Amino acid sequence: MVNDHLSTRPHPHEPTDTVDQARTTVVAPRGLTAFLVIAFAFSWTAWWAGTHLLAGANPMLVVIAGGFGPMVAAVVVTAATSGWSGVGALFRRYSLPRRGGIAPYAIAVLVVLAIAASGAISLHLRGATVDETLLNAALATVPVQFLLIAVAGGGNEELGWRGFALPRLQGALPPLAANVVLGAIWAVWHAPLFSMAGTAQSQVYFPAYALLCVGLTVVLGHVFNASRGGVLAVVLAHTAVNVVSGLKATLMGDPAGVTEVALVSLVAVVLVTATRGRLGLGRSGGTGR
């Protein structure tokens, strides 16, 4: 049991079925470098090619295509290191039963409210009001937006970032450090989008975006750990964040700025303080037992 925090391999004298790979939150970091290389290569190639081929046209299709890089990398590396049974376990992270109850969703609500509050504060400071016609039109599209973003607009990344990468980072680093590193990686992964006209990132300063990514990653990491290695709650949280951020930008013309970064960071700090840096990860690590 001493090495449970470093590996999900069962002890030689234990039954081989005692570890459910679909419920691990801490594993040995095997394959992590290959995952990052493939994820970045897939996404950056798609975004680079799109920038040159589209020549000023709407970049959304190539942005979406590149967004599948983390998922593709997770599947490829898992297949190479653990075979198709490992790939099956990877996709079973989407299962819902016994995944931490309401706690993961309550954590997600905190960060969504923080983003919404940043918009309200911005309105108050400017003495502005929301156009009700525009608000109603935007709200009418939310169900469709939520579905599309969950499938191909951010939620699709989570099988890679949380389902594959985070357990391996948590196998090499303490939970807080693992999530901060993943947040920095996530920010850099988005880098090509900052020079692509028409993307949300092109309207944001990279330093502010990087801080936002780290704060969100800390929150999403807690959601993942509270979900006992499940990614469905993380997909829903990531999707809700993107939907609310999109509404905020549409209604207020207010991309991620100081207020949003500060409030999201505050939520992250509260979670870190409340969990003493464990972010929902038990002292013995998560081995899916």
Side-chain angles (χ1 to χ4, degrees):
M1 295 298 288
V2 174
N3 294 323
D4 275 357
H5 67 292
L6 295 177
S7 173
T8 59
R9 293 179 182 177
H11 189 278
H13 299 294
E14 293 176 345
T16 58
D17 62 350
T18 57
V19 175
D20 183 354
Q21 299 294 333
R23 294 179 178 275
T24 52
T25 52
V26 176
V27 301
R30 181 187 180 198
L32 183 58
T33 300
F35 163 81
L36 293 174
V37 169
I38 295 171
F40 273 72
F42 184 101
S43 300
W44 284 16
T45 299
W47 293 335
W48 176 87
T51 301
H52 289 78
L53 293 176
L54 291 178
N58 191 318
M60 190 53 61
L61 287 179
V62 293
V63 171
I64 290 173
F68 281 91
M71 176 183 282
V72 169
V75 172
V76 169
V77 176
T78 300
T81 57
S82 303
W84 292 112
S85 63
V87 174
L90 180 67
F91 278 94
R92 285 202 310 277
R93 288 190 182 276
Y94 285 112
S95 66
L96 183 59
R98 300 187 304 281
R99 288 292 190 181
I102 196 173
Y105 304 96
I107 296 164
V109 167
L110 290 177
V111 74
V112 171
L113 289 176
I115 295 172
S118 72
I121 291 172
S122 177
L123 280 177
H124 176 72
L125 292 176
R126 290 184 295 172
T129 57
V130 174
D131 183 322
E132 289 191 14
T133 301
L134 183 60
L135 173 61
N136 291 333
L139 291 176
T141 67
V142 165
V144 173
Q145 284 188 50
F146 199 95
L147 178 61
L148 292 177
I149 291 173
V151 173
N156 52 306
E157 300 170 23
E158 290 305 331
L159 192 67
W161 297 134
R162 250 59 59 175
F164 184 94
L166 183 56
R168 285 157 178 80
L169 282 168
Q170 290 185 151
L173 298 168
L176 177 57
N179 280 279
V180 169
V181 168
L182 184 58
I185 291 170
W186 191 30
V188 173
W189 175 76
H190 284 96
L193 301 181
F194 285 81
S195 60
M196 190 182 297
T199 64
Q201 287 78 11
S202 66
Q203 305 174 49
V204 183
Y205 290 111
F206 181 77
Y209 189 83
L211 289 174
L212 186 63
C213 282
V214 171
L216 286 172
T217 300
V218 168
V219 176
L220 294 177
H222 194 178
V223 172
F224 174 77
N225 289 330
S227 298
R228 300 173 186 172
V231 298
L232 186 57
V234 190
V235 168
L236 295 176
H238 189 157
T239 301
V241 164
N242 284 9
V243 168
V244 173
S245 295
L247 283 173
K248 176 171 166 276
T250 298
L251 297 173
M252 306 168 195
D254 184 24
V258 174
T259 305
E260 183 171 333
V261 172
L263 290 181
V264 170
S265 298
L266 177 60
V267 172
V269 168
V270 168
L271 293 177
V272 170
T273 303
T275 64
R276 298 183 179 181
R278 298 300 299 174
L279 297 174
L281 191 66
R283 290 286 174 183
S284 61
T287 58
R289 293 176 188 274

